[in-house]
Amino acid sequence: MNRTLKDNLSFLVPWAATVVFLIILTGGGNSRTDIHLMLNGFHTPFLDSFFRLFTNVGGNLPWVVCAVMLLVRMWKGAMLTLAQVIATVIVQPVKHILHHPRPLTVFHEADIDLPLVDGVHLHAWNSFPSGHTAAAFALMFGIAILLPKWWQKTLCLIIALLAGYSRIYLSQHFLDDVLAGSVIGVVSVLLTMMFFKKDYFYDNKTQATK
């Protein structure tokens, strides 16, 4: 576990800083709807198309990647798959127990126009936490662990953050949903690494942030 944390600081440190900053933002007296509109206030046709596709990083893509990795690199595929399973097992019961309203429901009840993207079906309930975000972070942090260079790990973080933001841009989730999802995704990978406890995943025994 210590090795996992040390070798992946280029993913974990900026992620943690981002989470802390956004938590401070949510505690600054702004309502969930105000924050949502602030983060979702700029739409273009290109961004609509981009995020409509990019959100799949937390959709079916993780399971496709897991299936491929299980065929070509069994232990690495097992690690990615277990992280996805743990994230799902955490997210789904919490979603259905809390049954929080999604932006569609909240904005409709407040009689506020909600930024929409054509072709996106909006869900009404089970908002917290974001399952797509949890899956995206579990996938990208898992991949980051398998990559040797610090910039590759940072790129994985950027992809995960964009996948999380896509849920806000598409008005499927609020910011707090996405923050919780990212934490679940990261924790799921760390729990997975604790379970295996061996260096099955390192092609380079000196894997480090060089």
Side-chain angles (χ1 to χ4, degrees):
M1 177 58 68
N2 288 337
R3 177 179 179 176
T4 300
L5 296 174
K6 180 180 178 181
D7 286 352
N8 292 280
L9 291 178
S10 55
F11 185 105
L12 292 169
V13 170
W15 164 71
T18 301
V19 170
V20 170
F21 170 77
L22 293 175
I23 288 175
I24 293 173
L25 175 65
T26 61
N30 296 311
S31 67
R32 298 175 83 202
T33 54
D34 288 339
I35 293 173
H36 187 81
L37 291 174
M38 178 176 64
L39 295 175
N40 196 7
F42 182 73
H43 279 248
T44 69
F46 170 77
L47 290 177
D48 286 358
S49 298
F50 175 79
F51 284 117
R52 187 169 58 239
L53 293 174
F54 202 84
T55 198
N56 288 310
V57 172
N60 294 324
L61 181 62
W63 297 106
V64 173
V65 173
C66 289
V68 172
M69 287 297 291
L70 282 169
L71 292 175
V72 299
R73 293 289 187 274
M74 184 181 70
W75 286 112
K76 294 179 180 180
M79 185 270 280
L80 294 177
T81 301
L82 181 57
Q84 288 296 321
V85 170
I86 292 174
T88 301
V89 168
I90 295 173
V91 166
Q92 292 304 319
V94 174
K95 269 181 174 293
H96 290 85
I97 290 171
L98 295 180
H99 197 54
H100 282 183
R102 298 204 186 210
L104 175 66
T105 302
V106 172
F107 277 77
H108 177 74
E109 291 177 351
D111 197 25
I112 300 174
D113 290 334
L114 179 67
L116 301 176
V117 175
D118 288 341
V120 175
H121 171 70
L122 294 181
H123 301 285
W125 295 94
N126 299 334
S127 187
F128 184 92
S130 168
H132 274 67
T133 304
F137 270 84
L139 174 66
M140 299 315 302
F141 184 35
I143 291 175
I145 288 175
L146 305 178
L147 296 174
K149 303 296 184 180
W150 70 266
W151 63 266
Q152 294 170 324
K153 299 173 187 294
T154 302
L155 179 60
C156 286
L157 173 61
I158 292 171
I159 293 172
L161 289 172
L162 285 173
Y165 176 69
S166 74
R167 307 307 290 165
I168 299 172
Y169 186 93
L170 299 176
S171 288
Q172 294 283 25
H173 287 283
F174 290 105
L175 174 60
D176 52 316
D177 305 331
V178 170
L179 290 176
S182 75
V183 172
I184 291 170
V186 169
V187 169
S188 296
V189 175
L190 294 177
L191 290 174
T192 298
M193 298 303 291
M194 290 175 62
F195 175 80
F196 280 96
K197 295 182 180 179
K198 292 184 179 181
D199 295 333
Y200 292 126
F201 317 110
Y202 296 98
D203 292 326
N204 181 354
K205 293 296 183 182
T206 60
Q207 178 174 355
T209 54
K210 294 181 179 179

